[in-house]
Amino acid sequence: ADFDDRPGATERQARGLATFVPTRAAGSAYEYCNMNYNLLGLVVEAASGEPYGAYVQNHIFRPLGMRHSHSSRAAGKQDGLAMGYRYWFGHPFPAPNLTSPQSSLPSGQLISCAEDMAHYLIAQLNGGRYGDVQVLSSAGVEELHRGAAEIREKGMEIGSYGMGWVSQVTGTSTIVSHSGIVPDFGAFAGLVPDQKKGIVLLYNANHAMVKMTFDEFGLGAAERL
């Protein structure tokens, strides 16, 4: 369903949940799911009257001066989008013909570059402001970064999750971050708000598949090098 690119795909995803019964109360536990973001994209469209891609372009990319950020792969290619790669048996292969389905645009198909993402992170660190433009209130940014549900792995708490950001305490600092992948690209964004520092990593490959391949073949750290 994430890769349904026909008109109305996101709405079809939402209607497909009509008989879904949650296993626990909303907000009571952390379970990541792209569908949540796709549903949120529908809410944005209903509230704004704009398609999700146009809303992001008009209210985030353009005000923040993100001139090389796009909501469609066609526009990205015209602007010099790097070739994406997929890994097969540990080897990268070019993937020139993959699409970016509009059905999953809200959950991870946007295109950007390091300089543009720096503008975005500056706004995150500056109370929603970049230069003379305010795209979100300081209170709104704080709410985005506030952890709401514990993240537990193997019985251990490793942080908390809020509105798209993972919050973790390391030493005396709180780090908020988010990473994501699509079949041929990956990205990571991290912030240390009290130090006014941020970092973004952009990959033109599905880096998670590299780890999965190594793990499958039982390669150790030394062998990976």
Side-chain angles (χ1 to χ4, degrees):
D2 281 354
F3 293 93
D4 183 352
D5 202 24
R6 295 170 295 162
T10 311
E11 184 174 346
R12 279 196 300 278
Q13 287 184 14
R15 293 188 182 280
L17 296 174
T19 59
F20 176 76
V21 179
T23 58
R24 64 196 74 191
S28 62
Y30 167 80
E31 290 185 68
Y32 193 91
C33 181
N34 281 352
M35 179 63 75
N36 293 330
Y37 289 94
N38 293 341
L39 293 176
L40 182 59
L42 280 178
V43 173
V44 170
E45 291 184 346
S48 67
E50 299 178 75
Y52 181 81
Y55 183 89
V56 171
Q57 203 80 46
N58 294 333
H59 300 278
I60 299 176
F61 291 164
R62 190 169 295 127
L64 295 182
M66 299 172 70
R67 295 178 298 137
H68 300 291
S69 298
H70 307 281
S71 57
S72 77
R73 186 164 294 212
K77 286 184 175 180
Q78 291 180 356
D79 197 23
L81 176 66
M83 172 67 70
Y85 287 79
R86 302 183 74 179
Y87 277 85
W88 296 98
F89 301 102
H91 297 281
F93 287 89
N97 299 316
L98 293 184
T99 61
S100 295
Q102 295 300 297
S103 61
S104 57
L105 184 62
S107 61
Q109 301 288 342
L110 295 174
I111 296 167
S112 192
C113 64
E115 182 178 353
D116 281 9
M117 286 301 299
H119 296 190
Y120 179 77
L121 295 187
I122 287 171
Q124 292 281 338
L125 292 168
N126 197 31
R129 176 178 290 272
Y130 177 77
D132 296 328
V133 177
Q134 188 88 33
V135 294
L136 188 64
S137 68
S138 293
V141 172
E142 289 181 8
E143 185 65 15
L144 284 180
H145 296 170
R146 182 181 65 84
E150 286 185 354
I151 302 174
R152 304 187 70 86
E153 289 186 1
K154 298 180 180 179
M156 298 178 59
E157 182 186 348
I158 62 171
S160 58
Y161 188 79
M163 294 186 178
W165 293 93
V166 174
S167 178
Q168 297 172 296
V169 177
T170 302
T172 60
S173 295
T174 297
I175 300 172
V176 292
S177 64
H178 191 101
S179 64
I181 55 172
V182 292
D184 50 344
F185 287 92
F188 171 86
L191 300 165
V192 187
D194 61 335
Q195 297 182 24
K196 298 293 185 181
K197 293 179 180 178
I199 185 172
V200 60
L201 302 174
L202 304 175
Y203 315 85
N204 61 327
N206 183 331
H207 55 287
M209 294 305 297
V210 179
K211 180 180 185 302
M212 289 174 64
T213 300
F214 282 131
D215 290 345
E216 180 70 22
F217 286 98
L219 299 178
E223 293 171 290
R224 297 178 195 182
L225 296 176

Short mmCIF file of all heavy atoms in Angstrom, two decimals, residues 15 30-31 41 51 69 72 76 79 90 205:
data_model
loop_
_atom_site.label_atom_id
_atom_site.label_comp_id
_atom_site.label_asym_id
_atom_site.label_seq_id
_atom_site.Cartn_x
_atom_site.Cartn_y
_atom_site.Cartn_z
N ARG A 15 -9.05 4.39 4.35
CA ARG A 15 -10.32 3.66 4.38
C ARG A 15 -10.09 2.17 4.65
O ARG A 15 -10.96 1.49 5.21
CB ARG A 15 -11.06 3.86 3.06
CG ARG A 15 -11.54 5.30 2.86
CD ARG A 15 -12.42 5.46 1.65
NE ARG A 15 -12.83 6.83 1.46
CZ ARG A 15 -13.82 7.42 2.14
NH1 ARG A 15 -14.51 6.72 3.05
NH2 ARG A 15 -14.13 8.68 1.91
N TYR A 30 5.15 3.05 22.23
CA TYR A 30 5.80 3.43 20.98
C TYR A 30 5.79 2.26 20.01
O TYR A 30 6.28 1.17 20.32
CB TYR A 30 7.25 3.83 21.27
CG TYR A 30 8.11 3.95 20.04
CD1 TYR A 30 8.06 5.08 19.24
CD2 TYR A 30 8.98 2.91 19.68
CE1 TYR A 30 8.87 5.19 18.11
CE2 TYR A 30 9.79 3.02 18.55
CZ TYR A 30 9.72 4.15 17.78
OH TYR A 30 10.51 4.26 16.67
N GLU A 31 5.20 2.47 18.85
CA GLU A 31 5.25 1.50 17.76
C GLU A 31 5.26 2.31 16.46
O GLU A 31 4.25 2.86 16.07
CB GLU A 31 4.05 0.55 17.79
CG GLU A 31 4.07 -0.45 18.94
CD GLU A 31 2.94 -1.45 18.85
OE1 GLU A 31 2.97 -2.27 17.91
OE2 GLU A 31 2.03 -1.40 19.69
N GLY A 41 -0.78 13.28 6.65
CA GLY A 41 -0.77 14.01 5.38
C GLY A 41 -2.18 14.29 4.89
O GLY A 41 -2.46 15.38 4.36
N PRO A 51 -2.87 20.01 -1.81
CA PRO A 51 -2.21 18.71 -1.81
C PRO A 51 -1.00 18.76 -0.88
O PRO A 51 -0.36 19.81 -0.73
CB PRO A 51 -1.78 18.52 -3.27
CG PRO A 51 -2.67 19.43 -4.04
CD PRO A 51 -2.95 20.61 -3.16
N SER A 69 14.84 21.66 -2.73
CA SER A 69 14.04 20.63 -2.08
C SER A 69 12.73 20.46 -2.84
O SER A 69 12.14 21.45 -3.28
CB SER A 69 13.75 21.02 -0.62
OG SER A 69 14.96 21.11 0.10
N SER A 72 8.50 15.92 -5.56
CA SER A 72 8.34 14.93 -6.62
C SER A 72 9.71 14.55 -7.16
O SER A 72 10.63 15.37 -7.23
CB SER A 72 7.48 15.46 -7.77
OG SER A 72 8.21 16.35 -8.59
N GLY A 76 13.03 16.66 -8.69
CA GLY A 76 14.36 16.43 -8.14
C GLY A 76 15.37 16.07 -9.21
O GLY A 76 16.51 16.55 -9.21
N ASP A 79 16.66 18.89 -11.05
CA ASP A 79 17.53 19.73 -10.23
C ASP A 79 18.80 18.99 -9.79
O ASP A 79 19.48 19.41 -8.86
CB ASP A 79 16.75 20.19 -8.99
CG ASP A 79 17.39 21.37 -8.29
OD1 ASP A 79 18.15 22.12 -8.95
OD2 ASP A 79 17.14 21.56 -7.09
N GLY A 90 24.79 -7.63 -0.72
CA GLY A 90 25.91 -6.85 -0.25
C GLY A 90 26.54 -5.93 -1.28
O GLY A 90 27.51 -5.23 -0.98
N ALA A 205 21.71 5.61 -0.99
CA ALA A 205 21.55 4.15 -0.92
C ALA A 205 20.74 3.82 0.32
O ALA A 205 20.67 4.63 1.25
CB ALA A 205 22.91 3.45 -0.88
#
